[in-house]
């Protein structure tokens, strides 16, 4: 997807002073013939930018993503929890280490609170096929002290 530009990141930075009582806008990750992916930040403190280079229910392995955020915590270690639901019923949960002290998988591992991250590159995911349906996904990034770094809820519609 080419939708993500530096403009979104700048806009994210400018939005930091926004009142925390309002919900963040919904962003589109991608939409094509049979797949639509939307997300919204669920971190009351900030929004972030995210996009992928491919939008297909046949998800290829090693997707390229773009991700931009200002760190609200140090990330010596960083973990991602994903919870997948359909029609409100939990389907599966998993947790994935992104930065570990002995195994920093990405160049941004070890960055400090207040720094800005902009990552564009592969994420080394497995390929799989998204089954037809509508899914709700909760994603949370957190550090070694279990402090939230980013939080999002997403909707995936696959027809
Ligand atoms: C995120 O969650 C809120 C509150 O449950 C919901 O209103 C919103 O539609 C969700 N956004 C997306 C993109 O799934
Ligand atoms: C997965 O996580 C969600 C949200 O944290 C929780 O509501 C759900 O019960 C969990 N499901 C399983 C199977 O652990």
């Amino acid at each position: 997807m080419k939708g993500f530009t530096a403009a979104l990141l700048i806009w994210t930075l400018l939005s930091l002073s926004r009142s925390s009582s309002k919900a963040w806008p919904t962003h589109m990750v991608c939409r094509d013939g049979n797949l639509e992916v939307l997300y919204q930040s669920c971190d009351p403190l900030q929004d972030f930018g995210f996009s992928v280079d491919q939008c297909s229910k046949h998800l290829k392995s090693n997707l390229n993503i773009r991700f931009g955020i200002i760190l609200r915590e140090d990330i010596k270690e960083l973990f991602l929890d994903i919870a997948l639901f359909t029609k409100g019923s939990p389907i599966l949960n998993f947790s994935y280490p992104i930065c570990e002290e002995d195994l920093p998988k990405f160049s941004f591992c070890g960055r400090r609170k207040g720094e800005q991250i902009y990552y564009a590159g592969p994420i080394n995911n497995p390929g799989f096929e998204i089954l037809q349906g509508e899914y709700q996904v909760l994603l949370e990034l957190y550090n070694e002290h279990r402090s939230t770094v980013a939080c999002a809820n997403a909707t995936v519609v696959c027809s």
Side-chain angles (χ1 to χ4, degrees):
M1 287 303 285
K2 297 176 190 73
F4 185 98
T5 60
L8 176 57
L9 183 59
I10 290 164
W11 172 84
T12 302
L13 306 183
L14 293 176
S15 303
L16 284 173
S17 58
R18 182 186 251 265
S19 153
S20 61
S21 61
K22 283 192 218 136
W24 294 106
T26 299
H27 304 294
M28 182 168 302
V29 177
C30 74
R31 174 190 273 161
D32 85 345
N34 47 27
L35 184 68
E36 180 176 279
V37 181
L38 303 167
Y39 77 94
Q40 199 171 5
S41 171
C42 47
D43 177 351
L45 297 181
Q46 67 173 345
D47 200 358
F48 65 90
F50 177 80
S51 76
V52 292
D53 70 339
Q54 187 225 19
C55 186
S56 162
K57 58 200 266 188
H58 312 286
L59 199 72
K60 67 174 189 190
S61 57
N62 224 11
L63 275 181
N64 282 301
I65 66 153
R66 289 166 193 267
F67 178 72
I69 194 169
I70 296 174
L71 291 177
R72 52 179 273 188
E73 299 291 340
D74 292 355
I75 52 166
K76 196 156 75 181
E77 299 193 50
L78 186 67
F79 305 91
L80 173 66
D81 275 6
I82 299 181
L84 188 64
F85 302 83
T86 186
K87 300 193 183 92
S89 313
I91 306 177
L92 71 99
N93 288 357
F94 66 94
S95 191
Y96 177 76
I98 297 175
C99 302
E100 291 170 288
E101 224 172 339
D102 303 329
L103 194 63
K105 296 194 185 80
F106 296 96
S107 54
F108 54 76
C109 293
R111 295 284 193 86
R112 310 298 293 268
K113 179 175 178 170
E115 287 190 73
Q116 181 182 317
I117 288 182
Y118 175 69
Y119 177 77
I123 51 167
N124 200 20
N125 61 296
F128 58 91
E129 169 126 9
I130 303 170
L131 299 177
Q132 193 175 334
E134 182 171 334
Y135 306 95
Q136 291 78 47
V137 191
L138 295 178
L139 301 118
E140 190 192 2
L141 285 170
Y142 56 92
N143 72 2
E144 65 274 21
H145 306 302
R146 199 63 184 80
S147 302
T148 301
V149 173
C151 166
N153 66 310
T155 300
V156 177
V157 182
C158 181
S159 53

